[in-house]
Amino acid sequence: MSQLEIKDLHVSIGEKAIVKGLTLTIHSGEVHAIMGPNGTGKSTLSKAIAGHPDYTITSGEVLLDGASILGQEADERARAGIFLAFQYPSEIPGVSIANFLRAAQQARMAEGEELDASAYYKRLYSKMDLLKIDRKFTSRSVNEGFSGGEKKRCEILQMAMLEPKFALMDETDSGLDIDALRIVADGVNTMRGPNLGVLLITHYQRLLDYIVPDHVHVMYDGRIVKSGDKSLALELEAKGYDWIKKELAASAA
Amino acid sequence: MSSLSDTTTLSPPVPDEATTVDNPAVGIDQTAGNFSYKVDYAFDAGTGLSEDTIRYISSVKKEAPWILEFRLAALKKFLAMPMPTHWATKDLENIDFQKIRYYLSQGQKPKRTWDEVPDDIKKTFERLGIPEQERKFLAGVEAQFDSEAAYSNIKDIVAKQGVIFVNSTEGLREHPELFKKFFGKVIPTGDNKFSALNSAVFSGGSFIYVPKGVKVAQPLQAYFRINAENFGQFERTLIIADEGAEVTYMEGCTAPKFSTSTLHSAVVELVALKGAKIQYITVQNWANNVFNLVTKRGVAHEDAEIKWIDCNIGSRLTMKYPGVVLKGERARGEVISIALANDGQHQDTGAKMIHAANNTTSNIVAKSISVGQGRSTYRGVVHIPKHLKGCKNNTECDALLINTNSRTDTYPAITVRGDKNSTQHEASVSKVSEDMIFYMQQRGLTEAQAMSLAVNGFINDLARQFPMEYSVELKRLIDLEMEGSVG
């Protein structure tokens, strides 16, 4: 049982404050959805937790099982169990998915320890079968020339192989077609269970038709302004984000 | 030998039992090639370059008079020729030819078994893994330590086919007719200032002859090791593949890291007679104080094929442009080159393809990686004269930049005349972006591992053409370089 605690987090890009005091705790086994209009800091939140060097944490804390991860490099955080499913994953020309994942697995092993190649491939193929991914897929270079759906499939496969404690899924505004949406949803639903906590970042309600969240949070202007269960997402769908803005304006007045 | 700086009054060569010469030894480091053992040299030409240096080298080797004449004429040419700084880097001016030691050895006759190799030299090669590689996958090995081969052996099965694989000193002594016929013909002494220098002071290198129709299944390998400080290594390699013969030759090179500069200036000549195939593979990993100025060229006769695979890692400055003269109809030439320039390094590499017969084809694929302040330069010459027809050239140059300070330049000179020939040229420059590194780090790879993987991906299509053992070695070298480049 793990927990990821985000406490009064403030994040800037350059001089500009983007996340302005966000607090949220996720436990293993839970799926939290963060929704909100464009430009409210949803993607910034996920990248800052993962340790992107362009994002400066000006105050607040992020604790994984009680220990701060903010002093760690991105790769240390990853090995500690934080996985970020990228909205726009990078291409790595000439590096096959199989070799990339192998390097990622190797990086998790102790110095001098060698990955058992046949056990690795066995595991890779069983994950691919589970996610209904064609065997040929992993001989392609990581994300090179991939369609939107293939990129999602590649992210999900990596997540399945690396078995993180917490997955941050940045799906905002990515213009996913229905097939890509299903790939993400099926993947998350397959992996969902007592050992995985998920933070699902999405702009639209429709992804939540496929992945039913335990908690829904609305993010606006760098903060969580409203939290609830899955019905909150439906309410947002019906009333739009203006409803939140009006509520906020009213309470501020 | 009384003193190292004794340049003017060289004592006559002493026999093998020898006197002791102080040789600076550095501490042993973790990195693969960066170590040296204290070695007592029996033969030492002292420091600096003069006619006496050359007479000393020639007399130690008990050479025929024509070779001494050849050397002395080359020295004159070397002294008369200017440094090519009008097109190449000014860094060349930092080479002080009077501070270099031109000949150091423990003896001129290489041993045929590792047991006979003196311990101090044997442990160097054991540490570099040479005897092990020999057992595993090589048809023959020559291991040069400073000026001379310490070990040279060819498997019986290959020798029985008539294949000659010896060092150049032995080649000149035992096969003078064959040697003389081709020696200095592909690369004339005055080709450039450094080929002239090599012609004056050459020692070591391989002499290979593969008889008609013989196909050597396993590669022949030479390993060139610089051990001494302020040393210049000038090996001379000549490979002749007779009609229909096939041979693969691989060379590896290392040197320890000294505070002063070291010079490596080889000349390599290949002759592929009618229908022959020569593949020449280099994986060099010089320490970053080495000036590596090498001239490599082959002549491909009718239906022959010469392929250079050239991996340049390390050194302070490398200038190397392997070439093929396509002399006979339907001859094929290929240069596959990978250069990695890290901080403080300049890889000035490329290829030359001289088409001299109809229906000849050439292919150049050059990939360079510049890291930090590292600088990569590609220089290529492709020449197809007007009177020829059916000639084809393909040139691809790709550069990868890792971080904003690195620099890459491309100078392709493609002269294709006449309308019955074709050429194709592509060049690209790409960058390893911060986002790409972050993406890989997010999967758990360290920054160094991420850069290393990006570099390996960039050269993957080329590395796949190498024999497996060498692509593994190349990957390991890249990993080491990337580890060192992350702060």
Side-chain angles (χ1 to χ4, degrees), chain B residues 75-88:
Chain B
L75 177 68
K76 284 209 180 81
K77 278 211 171 109
F78 166 71
L79 294 172
M81 289 176 88
M83 271 293 189
T85 42
H86 59 289
W87 59 270

Side-chain angles (χ1 to χ4, degrees), chain A:
Chain A
M1 190 66 169
S2 288
Q3 67 174 17
L4 182 68
E5 292 169 86
I6 305 157
K7 289 181 167 174
D8 194 26
L9 194 71
H10 289 72
V11 183
S12 297
I13 302 174
E15 296 293 299
K16 197 170 164 25
I18 309 285
V19 176
K20 305 164 183 172
L22 186 140
T23 298
L24 176 66
T25 299
I26 307 170
H27 298 95
S28 310
E30 296 174 352
V31 174
H32 290 246
I34 289 193
M35 303 181 69
N38 292 333
T40 54
K42 302 189 298 291
S43 288
T44 299
L45 174 68
S46 63
K47 283 193 178 138
I49 296 170
H52 194 293
D54 287 352
Y55 297 75
T56 314
I57 292 174
T58 49
S59 70
E61 256 307 345
V62 179
L63 306 170
L64 179 61
D65 295 329
S68 175
I69 60 167
L70 294 184
Q72 296 179 342
E73 294 290 322
D75 54 297
E76 294 174 88
R77 300 183 199 194
R79 294 193 298 270
I82 305 284
F83 180 91
L84 173 62
F86 285 68
Q87 187 184 350
Y88 302 112
S90 293
E91 294 183 2
I92 314 175
V95 178
S96 69
I97 296 174
N99 278 341
F100 182 48
L101 275 168
R102 199 172 158 167
Q105 297 277 4
Q106 182 69 54
R108 283 164 170 74
M109 302 179 75
E111 187 109 8
E113 212 181 326
E114 274 295 317
L115 187 71
D116 176 346
S118 65
Y120 160 73
Y121 276 101
K122 210 172 152 191
R123 198 167 148 260
L124 177 64
Y125 291 143
S126 79
K127 297 285 185 192
M128 289 170 78
D129 290 347
L130 192 69
L131 299 167
K132 300 184 187 72
I133 295 173
D134 190 278
R135 290 278 159 94
K136 283 186 221 132
F137 186 62
T138 47
S139 58
R140 295 175 64 185
S141 292
V142 179
N143 296 316
E144 202 180 21
F146 281 17
S147 69
E150 287 168 333
K151 282 181 184 169
K152 292 296 158 195
R153 192 169 276 134
C154 183
E155 294 294 287
I156 292 293
L157 176 63
Q158 293 178 50
M159 182 173 152
M161 282 298 282
L162 299 175
E163 295 181 339
K165 290 176 180 161
F166 292 95
L168 318 171
M169 314 208 54
D170 191 2
E171 305 300 332
T172 318
D173 306 325
S174 49
L176 292 185
D177 60 25
I178 198 75
D179 291 337
L181 210 67
R182 280 226 174 90
I183 291 162
V184 174
D186 290 349
V188 171
N189 289 331
T190 308
M191 283 178 260
R192 202 167 171 171
N195 299 318
L196 177 68
V198 178
L199 181 65
L200 192 60
I201 291 166
T202 181
H203 184 69
Y204 298 110
Q205 141 71 22
R206 56 177 187 164
L207 180 59
L208 304 182
D209 290 340
Y210 298 96
I211 307 171
V212 181
D214 302 301
H215 304 274
V216 175
H217 312 277
V218 181
M219 193 166 169
Y220 183 72
D221 192 26
R223 275 176 290 260
I224 288 174
V225 294
K226 204 172 180 66
S227 293
D229 61 13
K230 61 183 178 187
S231 62
L232 177 59
L234 296 169
E235 202 173 349
L236 267 177
E237 173 89 339
K239 297 183 181 170
Y241 287 115
D242 282 350
W243 160 60
I244 299 287
K245 289 180 198 170
K246 277 178 199 150
E247 255 196 19
L248 278 176
S251 66

Side-chain angles (χ1 to χ4, degrees), chain B residues 220-294:
Chain B
L220 298 171
Q221 191 195 47
Y223 202 93
F224 298 96
R225 173 68 178 176
I226 292 178
N227 189 66
E229 190 163 9
N230 293 322
F231 180 68
Q233 191 171 52
F234 305 95
E235 84 268 15
R236 181 95 191 191
T237 290
L238 174 59
I239 301 176
I240 302 150
D242 212 328
E243 292 182 9
E246 288 180 19
V247 64
T248 294
Y249 177 86
M250 315 204 289
E251 62 170 353
C253 332
T254 56
K257 201 175 282 181
F258 292 118
S259 53
T260 55
S261 56
T262 304
L263 177 60
H264 175 254
S265 191
V267 166
V268 177
E269 298 175 286
L270 309 183
V271 180
L273 296 174
K274 189 177 174 183
K277 280 186 186 172
I278 301 177
Q279 180 163 260
Y280 191 109
I281 306 171
T282 304
V283 178
Q284 67 166 51
N285 180 29
W286 292 118
N288 60 8
N289 60 312
V290 176
F291 283 94
N292 183 45
L293 311 165
V294 172

